[in-house]
């Protein structure tokens, strides 16, 4: 963005001011504005004065102020998205072949040509790329769909106001509509009254899949085709499909008892119904468009034959009157038949059939002499969407905790009289027993045999997946095992898959319908993962699964729990090392591998720019295969508007094009930095020191009592924004029990952002004191991994407000020592980052720095209101707790909007 004072920001701020000042809460809003002005003084005295002003408000006024401030941030966020779109369009307009827009597909394709890649080599790489963004229902999105829709409508009106041809009356009408929508948003509950049900989360995901994602995907291929034509002079009419979506919503069972087998089945049905509805709508648009007459243009004989074959094969799909009415319009007859086949489950129509029919339409248009005019545009878009979304929209993953699978297998083997207590066995005995069972085609138990609740539930879920695959092989993605610790964790899943019919043992080979994907989450598991996977690759028990899946293995890496376990620097370093070693292990054993990056929205959970992370991957981990989670508010930001979604996707695809091995030498265009052994040893030592400092903090006497009192974690656990609880096993006990998302969420609320930087002050500081800053500065300038790590930490430090943190810390009797420890580490981290980067400010971009500066006074105001509410909570009478908790929810939502981040 060129300026945070964009016209859109000013326009929406003025609209909000008009609405609020005409409301009954004008006086309260004036108090809040005065408080924000005092917060802007950046002094303890200013914060004290602001807090005193806010104390004068009653609870009704507090609710109105929180609603207004929250809406202010939501509108600013939307305006900034519009500014990103505007700036990107302007840069695209000014770009040339010699100076393409930064991080565009033009830039990526140009880099490939300049690196000597031929068109055939580019097309070969495109044919191997598969990128799978994966939507999850992690509890980090507080906004309701009705709010998102109104915000999208406001964006459309702002966009129309940029039209210089508007008359004054038309302009005033658009402004009036914006005011109307702002007033409606101010009167609409931002926080749900009840916790989301799983199918409501599914519908939230569908909002984006059938909205901005559906709209954005075809444009990516148009951009890529133009880029190839510009650099190479020609491009095939159709490019390989590079991008398909996955989802966890309705299939993620880890810690969420609400995701039942029935819910999973309903999710699959709902996704299919939405896909069919979207394709049907597109076919109706094509039907209205393709009014070609066989009295005007020649008709391809094969096309006419396909129509006759459909009419014969599916009698009754079209009424006789419709056929007569369209007797000279065969294209419309074909489209009517396609629509009818989609609507009739008994027709057996598949995604492949839809793609084939669309291809037949394109061939017939070409034969009619209109290919140059009609074969592109809506028809090309329909073909791309049919190949991308199929009749399933997004493949559903099934995720479960390894411990639950262990219990299920224990119950199953006991019921089969194979072993009375599988869970009591050591690892070697487990593998031996599981290998024997995987070698036999027969099921372990007869239908109807009592097998225990865990086994019943696991098998019901897997049988639901099998039924979905029988109907549509693309409907189910992978089987993901949380907290994978041993080889037996993988084999246990295969035994359950065999019992459910997803893994079938034949005379000479095995058929498997899904990938078994380990998820490595803790620091210890990341360290052990390369050896564990090497054992899997050489395991005779796992070999049939590997062969059945084409010697392809997906591995998921957990960014959230690794950070919670070891702190920011250790998590990042462990993930980097694990990728390199896992990549080397796969190459050694002839296995093609895909990493699935479980990234969250915040830096503390692996957030940051995805394209930069791709280019920072170690050499052995570079691959054309990529998956990454899209979670919570990240989905809302990256897919808020089709233009934003398109920009996000082009950055990812462009980075993969440059990072993946290609050409005759299979070397990437963007060569990876290969650290020396000395550099790796240095980073490893720094990570150990940072982790030790982090664990000192969370191990301090009274830390967890302080955390419970000084953060709104208790109220986050009750916030009705997701179906999944915030802790495993119930209750907020400590680091092992608390989930990573609420852990980070709470630190974000109190403006500490601790998971995104804590520990680097001590680690970097000691290294600089010992050896000077030059070596780390050299690594920062030469090593993309290290520069991304430092810049991400710098951003979190810039967003941190230690003065606000100290006011939260005072809510606990033991707050001062812990706040001092955090504050001291913050100062050290800030100093070391500046020394390493050589900058005089934390943030490289003056626009981002100015955005943070402008947001702080109003965000501080919400923090002060929240602190006052938290002070009242312990002694609040039971009769008043509902009202006070409602205010706390509003404050949590407001800070999330201000920070554009929850967990």
């Amino acid at each position: 963005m060129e300026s945070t004072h964009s016209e859109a920001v000013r326009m929406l701020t003025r609209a909000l001011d008009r609405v609020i000042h005409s409301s009954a809460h004008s006086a309260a809003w004036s108090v809040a504005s005065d408080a924000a002005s005092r917060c802007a003084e950046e002094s303890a005295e200013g914060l004290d004065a602001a807090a005193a002003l806010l104390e004068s408000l009653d609870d009704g006024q507090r609710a109105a102020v929180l609603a207004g401030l929250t809406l202010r941030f939501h509108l600013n966020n939307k305006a900034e998205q519009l500014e990103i779109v505007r700036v990107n369009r302007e840069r695209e307009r000014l770009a040339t072949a010699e100076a393409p827009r930064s991080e565009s597909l033009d830039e990526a394709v140009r880099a490939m040509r300049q690196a000597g890649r031929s068109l055939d080599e580019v097309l070969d790489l495109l044919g191997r790329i598969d990128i799978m963004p994966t939507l999850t229902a992690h509890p980090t999105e507080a906004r309701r769909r009705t709010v998102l829709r109104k915000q999208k409508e406001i964006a459309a009106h702002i966009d129309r106001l940029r039209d210089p041809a508007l008359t004054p009356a038309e302009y005033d009408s658009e402004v009036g509509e914006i005011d109307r929508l702002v007033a409606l948003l101010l009167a609409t509950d931002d926080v749900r009254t009840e916790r989301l049900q799983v199918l409501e989360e599914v519908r939230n995901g569908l909002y984006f899949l059938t909205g901005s994602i559906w709209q954005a995907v075809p444009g990516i291929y148009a951009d890529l085709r133009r880029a190839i034509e510009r650099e190479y002079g020609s491009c095939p009419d159709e490019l390989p499909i590079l991008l398909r979506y996955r989802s966890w919503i309705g299939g993620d069972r880890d810690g969420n008892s609400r995701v039942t087998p029935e819910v999973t089945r309903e999710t699959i049905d709902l996704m299919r119904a939405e896909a069919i509805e979207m394709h049907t709508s597109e076919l109706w648009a094509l039907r209205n468009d393709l009014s070609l007459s066989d009295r005007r243009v020649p008709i391809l004989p094969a096309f006419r034959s396909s129509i006759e074959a459909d009419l014969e094969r599916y009698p009754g799909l079209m009424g006789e009157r419709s056929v007569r009415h369209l007797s000279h319009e065969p294209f419309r007859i074909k489209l009517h038949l396609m629509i009818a086949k989609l609507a009739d489950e008994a027709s057996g129509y598949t995604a492949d059939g839809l793609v084939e029919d669309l291809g037949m339409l394109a061939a017939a248009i070409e034969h009619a002499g209109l290919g140059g005019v009609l074969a592109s545009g809506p028809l090309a878009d329909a073909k791309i969407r049919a190949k991308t979304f199929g009749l399933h929209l997004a493949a559903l993953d099934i995720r479960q905790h390894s411990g639950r699978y262990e219990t299920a297998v224990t119950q199953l083997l006991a019921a089969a009289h194979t072993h009375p207590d599988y869970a009591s066995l050591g690892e070697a005995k487990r593998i031996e027993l599981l290998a024997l069972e995987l070698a036999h085609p027969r099921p372990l138990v007869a239908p109807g045999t009592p097998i225990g609740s865990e086994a019943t539930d696991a098998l019901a879920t897997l049988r639901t997946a099998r039924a979905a695959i029988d109907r549509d092989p693309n409907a189910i993605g992978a089987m993901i095992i949380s907290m994978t610790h041993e080889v037996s964790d993988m084999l246990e899943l295969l035994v359950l898959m065999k019992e459910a019919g997803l893994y079938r043992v034949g005379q000479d080979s095995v058929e498997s319908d899904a990938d078994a994907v380990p998820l490595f989450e803790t620091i210890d598991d990341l360290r052990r993962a390369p050896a564990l996977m090497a054992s899997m690759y050489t395991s005779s028990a796992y070999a049939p699964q590997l062969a059945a899946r084409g010697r392809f293995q997906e591995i998921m890496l957990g960014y959230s729990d690794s950070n919670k376990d070891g702190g920011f620097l250790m998590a990042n370093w462990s993930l980097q090392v694990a990728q390199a070693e896992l990549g080397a292990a796969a190459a050694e054993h002839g296995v093609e591998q895909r990493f699935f990056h479980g990234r969250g929205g915040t830096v503390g959970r692996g957030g940051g720019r995805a394209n930069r992370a791709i280019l920072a991957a170690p050499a052995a981990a570079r691959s054309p295969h990529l998956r990454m989670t899209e979670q919570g508010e990240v989905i809302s930001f990256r897919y808020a508007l089709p233009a934003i979604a398109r920009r996000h996707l082009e950055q990812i695809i462009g980075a993969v094009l440059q990072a993946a091995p290609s050409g005759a030498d299979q070397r990437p265009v963007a060569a990876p930095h290969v650290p020396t052994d000395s550099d790796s040893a240095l980073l490893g030592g720094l990570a150990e020191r940072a982790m030790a400092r982090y664990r000192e903090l969370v191990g301090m006497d009274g830390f967890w009592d302080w955390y419970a009192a000084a953060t709104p974690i208790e109220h986050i656990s009750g916030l009705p924004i997701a179906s999944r609880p915030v802790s495993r096993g119930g209750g907020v006990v400590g680091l092992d029990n608390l989930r990573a998302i609420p852990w980070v969420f709470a630190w974000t609320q109190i403006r500490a952002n601790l998971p995104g930087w804590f520990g680097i002050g001590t680690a970097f500081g000691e290294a600089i004191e010992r050896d000077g800053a030059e070596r780390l500065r050299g690594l920062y300038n030469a090593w993309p991994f290290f520069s991304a790590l430092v810049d991400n930490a710098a951003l979190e430090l810039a967003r941190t407000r230690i003065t606000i943190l100290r006011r939260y810390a005072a809510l606990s009797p033991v707050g001062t020592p812990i706040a001092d420890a955090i504050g001291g580490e913050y100062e050290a981290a800030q100093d070391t980052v500046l020394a390493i980067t050589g900058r005089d400010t934390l943030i490289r971009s003056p626009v981002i720095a100015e955005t943070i500066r402008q947001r702080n006074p109003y965000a501080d105001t919400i923090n002060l209101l929240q602190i006052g509410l938290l002070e009242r909570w312990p002694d609040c009478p039971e009769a008043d707790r509902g009202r006070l908790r409602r205010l706390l929810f509003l404050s949590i939502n407001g800070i999330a909007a201000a920070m554009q981040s929850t967990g």
Side-chain angles (χ1 to χ4, degrees), residues 825-855:
E825 187 67 22
Y826 169 82
E827 295 296 334
Q830 189 175 40
D831 291 344
T832 58
V833 165
L834 293 176
I836 291 168
T837 61
R839 298 194 294 263
D840 56 5
T841 60
L842 287 168
I843 301 299
R844 186 195 307 270
S845 165
V847 173
I848 294 176
E850 178 64 11
T851 298
I852 294 171
R853 189 192 68 77
Q854 289 177 14
R855 284 172 176 263

mmCIF file of all heavy atoms in Angstrom, residues 825-855:
data_model
loop_
_atom_site.group_PDB
_atom_site.id
_atom_site.type_symbol
_atom_site.label_atom_id
_atom_site.label_comp_id
_atom_site.label_asym_id
_atom_site.label_seq_id
_atom_site.Cartn_x
_atom_site.Cartn_y
_atom_site.Cartn_z
ATOM 1 N N GLU A 825 13.265 -9.261 28.125
ATOM 2 C CA GLU A 825 13.527 -10.018 26.910
ATOM 3 C C GLU A 825 13.090 -9.229 25.669
ATOM 4 O O GLU A 825 13.748 -9.285 24.619
ATOM 5 C CB GLU A 825 12.799 -11.364 26.958
ATOM 6 C CG GLU A 825 13.130 -12.320 25.831
ATOM 7 C CD GLU A 825 14.564 -12.825 25.856
ATOM 8 O OE1 GLU A 825 15.195 -12.791 26.933
ATOM 9 O OE2 GLU A 825 15.058 -13.247 24.795
ATOM 10 N N TYR A 826 12.018 -8.469 25.817
ATOM 11 C CA TYR A 826 11.564 -7.632 24.702
ATOM 12 C C TYR A 826 12.619 -6.593 24.334
ATOM 13 O O TYR A 826 12.939 -6.402 23.148
ATOM 14 C CB TYR A 826 10.254 -6.942 25.080
ATOM 15 C CG TYR A 826 9.826 -5.864 24.111
ATOM 16 C CD1 TYR A 826 9.167 -6.185 22.938
ATOM 17 C CD2 TYR A 826 10.100 -4.519 24.370
ATOM 18 C CE1 TYR A 826 8.783 -5.207 22.036
ATOM 19 C CE2 TYR A 826 9.724 -3.536 23.482
ATOM 20 C CZ TYR A 826 9.068 -3.875 22.319
ATOM 21 O OH TYR A 826 8.705 -2.903 21.433
ATOM 22 N N GLU A 827 13.138 -5.908 25.330
ATOM 23 C CA GLU A 827 14.161 -4.885 25.060
ATOM 24 C C GLU A 827 15.378 -5.504 24.389
ATOM 25 O O GLU A 827 15.931 -4.950 23.429
ATOM 26 C CB GLU A 827 14.571 -4.191 26.368
ATOM 27 C CG GLU A 827 13.475 -3.383 27.030
ATOM 28 C CD GLU A 827 13.023 -2.203 26.181
ATOM 29 O OE1 GLU A 827 13.827 -1.714 25.365
ATOM 30 O OE2 GLU A 827 11.865 -1.768 26.342
ATOM 31 N N ALA A 828 15.803 -6.668 24.890
ATOM 32 C CA ALA A 828 16.967 -7.342 24.301
ATOM 33 C C ALA A 828 16.676 -7.781 22.872
ATOM 34 O O ALA A 828 17.523 -7.646 21.975
ATOM 35 C CB ALA A 828 17.365 -8.543 25.163
ATOM 36 N N ALA A 829 15.475 -8.301 22.649
ATOM 37 C CA ALA A 829 15.110 -8.757 21.304
ATOM 38 C C ALA A 829 15.084 -7.585 20.326
ATOM 39 O O ALA A 829 15.574 -7.682 19.193
ATOM 40 C CB ALA A 829 13.752 -9.453 21.335
ATOM 41 N N GLN A 830 14.520 -6.485 20.759
ATOM 42 C CA GLN A 830 14.458 -5.303 19.906
ATOM 43 C C GLN A 830 15.868 -4.826 19.548
ATOM 44 O O GLN A 830 16.161 -4.549 18.376
ATOM 45 C CB GLN A 830 13.687 -4.195 20.629
ATOM 46 C CG GLN A 830 13.355 -2.988 19.785
ATOM 47 C CD GLN A 830 12.492 -2.012 20.561
ATOM 48 O OE1 GLN A 830 12.707 -1.793 21.751
ATOM 49 N NE2 GLN A 830 11.521 -1.433 19.894
ATOM 50 N N ASP A 831 16.745 -4.743 20.522
ATOM 51 C CA ASP A 831 18.120 -4.279 20.278
ATOM 52 C C ASP A 831 18.854 -5.216 19.319
ATOM 53 O O ASP A 831 19.569 -4.764 18.415
ATOM 54 C CB ASP A 831 18.885 -4.179 21.597
ATOM 55 C CG ASP A 831 18.370 -3.046 22.484
ATOM 56 O OD1 ASP A 831 17.651 -2.167 21.964
ATOM 57 O OD2 ASP A 831 18.683 -3.051 23.685
ATOM 58 N N THR A 832 18.692 -6.517 19.524
ATOM 59 C CA THR A 832 19.442 -7.459 18.686
ATOM 60 C C THR A 832 18.917 -7.481 17.257
ATOM 61 O O THR A 832 19.698 -7.597 16.305
ATOM 62 C CB THR A 832 19.401 -8.880 19.277
ATOM 63 O OG1 THR A 832 18.043 -9.308 19.415
ATOM 64 C CG2 THR A 832 20.082 -8.938 20.628
ATOM 65 N N VAL A 833 17.607 -7.364 17.075
ATOM 66 C CA VAL A 833 17.049 -7.332 15.719
ATOM 67 C C VAL A 833 17.571 -6.109 14.965
ATOM 68 O O VAL A 833 17.947 -6.195 13.786
ATOM 69 C CB VAL A 833 15.513 -7.348 15.762
ATOM 70 C CG1 VAL A 833 14.924 -6.955 14.412
ATOM 71 C CG2 VAL A 833 15.018 -8.728 16.166
ATOM 72 N N LEU A 834 17.605 -4.963 15.631
ATOM 73 C CA LEU A 834 18.126 -3.756 14.981
ATOM 74 C C LEU A 834 19.605 -3.922 14.643
ATOM 75 O O LEU A 834 20.063 -3.481 13.573
ATOM 76 C CB LEU A 834 17.914 -2.544 15.884
ATOM 77 C CG LEU A 834 16.456 -2.137 16.120
ATOM 78 C CD1 LEU A 834 16.369 -0.987 17.120
ATOM 79 C CD2 LEU A 834 15.768 -1.755 14.818
ATOM 80 N N ALA A 835 20.358 -4.570 15.528
ATOM 81 C CA ALA A 835 21.781 -4.789 15.262
ATOM 82 C C ALA A 835 21.985 -5.727 14.081
ATOM 83 O O ALA A 835 22.877 -5.525 13.247
ATOM 84 C CB ALA A 835 22.460 -5.345 16.515
ATOM 85 N N ILE A 836 21.150 -6.750 13.979
ATOM 86 C CA ILE A 836 21.303 -7.745 12.900
ATOM 87 C C ILE A 836 20.861 -7.171 11.559
ATOM 88 O O ILE A 836 21.527 -7.385 10.541
ATOM 89 C CB ILE A 836 20.490 -9.017 13.243
ATOM 90 C CG1 ILE A 836 21.142 -9.751 14.423
ATOM 91 C CG2 ILE A 836 20.382 -9.942 12.035
ATOM 92 C CD1 ILE A 836 20.279 -10.836 15.014
ATOM 93 N N THR A 837 19.756 -6.433 11.550
ATOM 94 C CA THR A 837 19.243 -5.904 10.286
ATOM 95 C C THR A 837 19.988 -4.658 9.832
ATOM 96 O O THR A 837 19.971 -4.316 8.640
ATOM 97 C CB THR A 837 17.747 -5.568 10.401
ATOM 98 O OG1 THR A 837 17.571 -4.557 11.406
ATOM 99 C CG2 THR A 837 16.940 -6.805 10.764
ATOM 100 N N GLY A 838 20.616 -3.966 10.772
ATOM 101 C CA GLY A 838 21.284 -2.717 10.421
ATOM 102 C C GLY A 838 20.323 -1.565 10.209
ATOM 103 O O GLY A 838 20.719 -0.490 9.747
ATOM 104 N N ARG A 839 19.043 -1.779 10.556
ATOM 105 C CA ARG A 839 18.049 -0.716 10.407
ATOM 106 C C ARG A 839 17.934 0.068 11.701
ATOM 107 O O ARG A 839 18.357 -0.386 12.772
ATOM 108 C CB ARG A 839 16.678 -1.313 10.051
ATOM 109 C CG ARG A 839 16.633 -2.058 8.733
ATOM 110 C CD ARG A 839 15.190 -2.315 8.304
ATOM 111 N NE ARG A 839 14.487 -3.214 9.191
ATOM 112 C CZ ARG A 839 14.337 -4.523 8.998
ATOM 113 N NH1 ARG A 839 14.898 -5.095 7.940
ATOM 114 N NH2 ARG A 839 13.649 -5.264 9.829
ATOM 115 N N ASP A 840 17.318 1.251 11.607
ATOM 116 C CA ASP A 840 17.052 2.018 12.823
ATOM 117 C C ASP A 840 15.600 1.872 13.269
ATOM 118 O O ASP A 840 15.184 2.465 14.265
ATOM 119 C CB ASP A 840 17.417 3.490 12.643
ATOM 120 C CG ASP A 840 16.700 4.125 11.454
ATOM 121 O OD1 ASP A 840 15.853 3.451 10.845
ATOM 122 O OD2 ASP A 840 17.004 5.292 11.144
ATOM 123 N N THR A 841 14.816 1.104 12.516
ATOM 124 C CA THR A 841 13.443 0.790 12.906
ATOM 125 C C THR A 841 13.213 -0.702 12.717
ATOM 126 O O THR A 841 13.866 -1.342 11.889
ATOM 127 C CB THR A 841 12.413 1.559 12.060
ATOM 128 O OG1 THR A 841 12.587 1.212 10.682
ATOM 129 C CG2 THR A 841 12.567 3.061 12.238
ATOM 130 N N LEU A 842 12.266 -1.243 13.465
ATOM 131 C CA LEU A 842 12.003 -2.670 13.374
ATOM 132 C C LEU A 842 11.405 -3.050 12.023
ATOM 133 O O LEU A 842 11.727 -4.097 11.463
ATOM 134 C CB LEU A 842 11.046 -3.107 14.486
ATOM 135 C CG LEU A 842 11.626 -3.157 15.906
ATOM 136 C CD1 LEU A 842 10.510 -3.308 16.928
ATOM 137 C CD2 LEU A 842 12.622 -4.304 16.033
ATOM 138 N N ILE A 843 10.537 -2.208 11.493
ATOM 139 C CA ILE A 843 9.790 -2.544 10.290
ATOM 140 C C ILE A 843 10.449 -1.926 9.069
ATOM 141 O O ILE A 843 10.701 -0.722 9.027
ATOM 142 C CB ILE A 843 8.330 -2.046 10.405
ATOM 143 C CG1 ILE A 843 7.657 -2.696 11.621
ATOM 144 C CG2 ILE A 843 7.551 -2.393 9.142
ATOM 145 C CD1 ILE A 843 7.569 -4.184 11.566
ATOM 146 N N ARG A 844 10.691 -2.759 8.078
ATOM 147 C CA ARG A 844 11.298 -2.299 6.832
ATOM 148 C C ARG A 844 10.362 -1.348 6.080
ATOM 149 O O ARG A 844 10.798 -0.352 5.506
ATOM 150 C CB ARG A 844 11.624 -3.515 5.959
ATOM 151 C CG ARG A 844 12.380 -3.196 4.688
ATOM 152 C CD ARG A 844 12.321 -4.385 3.725
ATOM 153 N NE ARG A 844 12.745 -5.625 4.328
ATOM 154 C CZ ARG A 844 14.006 -6.079 4.330
ATOM 155 N NH1 ARG A 844 14.945 -5.377 3.743
ATOM 156 N NH2 ARG A 844 14.293 -7.245 4.897
ATOM 157 N N SER A 845 9.061 -1.674 6.065
ATOM 158 C CA SER A 845 8.097 -0.896 5.294
ATOM 159 C C SER A 845 7.557 0.274 6.110
ATOM 160 O O SER A 845 6.938 0.069 7.163
ATOM 161 C CB SER A 845 6.929 -1.787 4.863
ATOM 162 O OG SER A 845 5.851 -1.017 4.418
ATOM 163 N N PRO A 846 7.737 1.496 5.641
ATOM 164 C CA PRO A 846 7.172 2.632 6.381
ATOM 165 C C PRO A 846 5.652 2.622 6.395
ATOM 166 O O PRO A 846 5.040 3.148 7.327
ATOM 167 C CB PRO A 846 7.718 3.850 5.609
ATOM 168 C CG PRO A 846 8.122 3.347 4.262
ATOM 169 C CD PRO A 846 8.512 1.921 4.462
ATOM 170 N N VAL A 847 5.029 2.006 5.385
ATOM 171 C CA VAL A 847 3.570 1.938 5.350
ATOM 172 C C VAL A 847 3.044 1.060 6.475
ATOM 173 O O VAL A 847 2.096 1.419 7.183
ATOM 174 C CB VAL A 847 3.091 1.423 3.977
ATOM 175 C CG1 VAL A 847 1.592 1.183 3.981
ATOM 176 C CG2 VAL A 847 3.470 2.407 2.886
ATOM 177 N N ILE A 848 3.666 -0.111 6.664
ATOM 178 C CA ILE A 848 3.241 -1.006 7.742
ATOM 179 C C ILE A 848 3.503 -0.361 9.098
ATOM 180 O O ILE A 848 2.670 -0.433 10.016
ATOM 181 C CB ILE A 848 3.964 -2.361 7.629
ATOM 182 C CG1 ILE A 848 3.523 -3.081 6.354
ATOM 183 C CG2 ILE A 848 3.679 -3.230 8.851
ATOM 184 C CD1 ILE A 848 4.255 -4.380 6.090
ATOM 185 N N ALA A 849 4.657 0.302 9.233
ATOM 186 C CA ALA A 849 4.970 0.980 10.497
ATOM 187 C C ALA A 849 3.933 2.053 10.804
ATOM 188 O O ALA A 849 3.486 2.196 11.957
ATOM 189 C CB ALA A 849 6.371 1.599 10.420
ATOM 190 N N GLU A 850 3.512 2.790 9.785
ATOM 191 C CA GLU A 850 2.509 3.832 9.988
ATOM 192 C C GLU A 850 1.147 3.223 10.316
ATOM 193 O O GLU A 850 0.394 3.767 11.143
ATOM 194 C CB GLU A 850 2.418 4.704 8.735
ATOM 195 C CG GLU A 850 1.378 5.807 8.792
ATOM 196 C CD GLU A 850 1.658 6.852 9.872
ATOM 197 O OE1 GLU A 850 2.767 6.859 10.447
ATOM 198 O OE2 GLU A 850 0.747 7.655 10.156
ATOM 199 N N THR A 851 0.829 2.099 9.700
ATOM 200 C CA THR A 851 -0.431 1.418 10.006
ATOM 201 C C THR A 851 -0.480 1.021 11.475
ATOM 202 O O THR A 851 -1.500 1.211 12.154
ATOM 203 C CB THR A 851 -0.587 0.174 9.118
ATOM 204 O OG1 THR A 851 -0.637 0.574 7.746
ATOM 205 C CG2 THR A 851 -1.856 -0.587 9.460
ATOM 206 N N ILE A 852 0.619 0.452 11.974
ATOM 207 C CA ILE A 852 0.678 0.058 13.385
ATOM 208 C C ILE A 852 0.513 1.286 14.275
ATOM 209 O O ILE A 852 -0.230 1.264 15.270
ATOM 210 C CB ILE A 852 2.000 -0.670 13.679
ATOM 211 C CG1 ILE A 852 2.044 -2.006 12.933
ATOM 212 C CG2 ILE A 852 2.180 -0.883 15.183
ATOM 213 C CD1 ILE A 852 3.392 -2.693 12.979
ATOM 214 N N ARG A 853 1.200 2.369 13.925
ATOM 215 C CA ARG A 853 1.136 3.591 14.736
ATOM 216 C C ARG A 853 -0.291 4.129 14.800
ATOM 217 O O ARG A 853 -0.761 4.560 15.866
ATOM 218 C CB ARG A 853 2.074 4.650 14.154
ATOM 219 C CG ARG A 853 2.241 5.877 15.041
ATOM 220 C CD ARG A 853 2.923 7.006 14.305
ATOM 221 N NE ARG A 853 2.077 7.546 13.248
ATOM 222 C CZ ARG A 853 1.052 8.375 13.470
ATOM 223 N NH1 ARG A 853 0.735 8.741 14.702
ATOM 224 N NH2 ARG A 853 0.330 8.812 12.450
ATOM 225 N N GLN A 854 -0.993 4.108 13.675
ATOM 226 C CA GLN A 854 -2.362 4.624 13.651
ATOM 227 C C GLN A 854 -3.330 3.733 14.424
ATOM 228 O O GLN A 854 -4.295 4.230 15.022
ATOM 229 C CB GLN A 854 -2.838 4.743 12.207
ATOM 230 C CG GLN A 854 -2.169 5.849 11.412
ATOM 231 C CD GLN A 854 -2.642 5.871 9.973
ATOM 232 O OE1 GLN A 854 -3.643 5.247 9.644
ATOM 233 N NE2 GLN A 854 -1.909 6.557 9.118
ATOM 234 N N ARG A 855 -3.106 2.446 14.407
ATOM 235 C CA ARG A 855 -4.022 1.516 15.067
ATOM 236 C C ARG A 855 -3.853 1.533 16.590
ATOM 237 O O ARG A 855 -4.819 1.277 17.328
ATOM 238 C CB ARG A 855 -3.793 0.095 14.556
ATOM 239 C CG ARG A 855 -4.370 -0.159 13.178
ATOM 240 C CD ARG A 855 -3.947 -1.520 12.632
ATOM 241 N NE ARG A 855 -4.592 -1.767 11.354
ATOM 242 C CZ ARG A 855 -5.706 -2.474 11.184
ATOM 243 N NH1 ARG A 855 -6.272 -3.033 12.228
ATOM 244 N NH2 ARG A 855 -6.230 -2.631 9.996
#
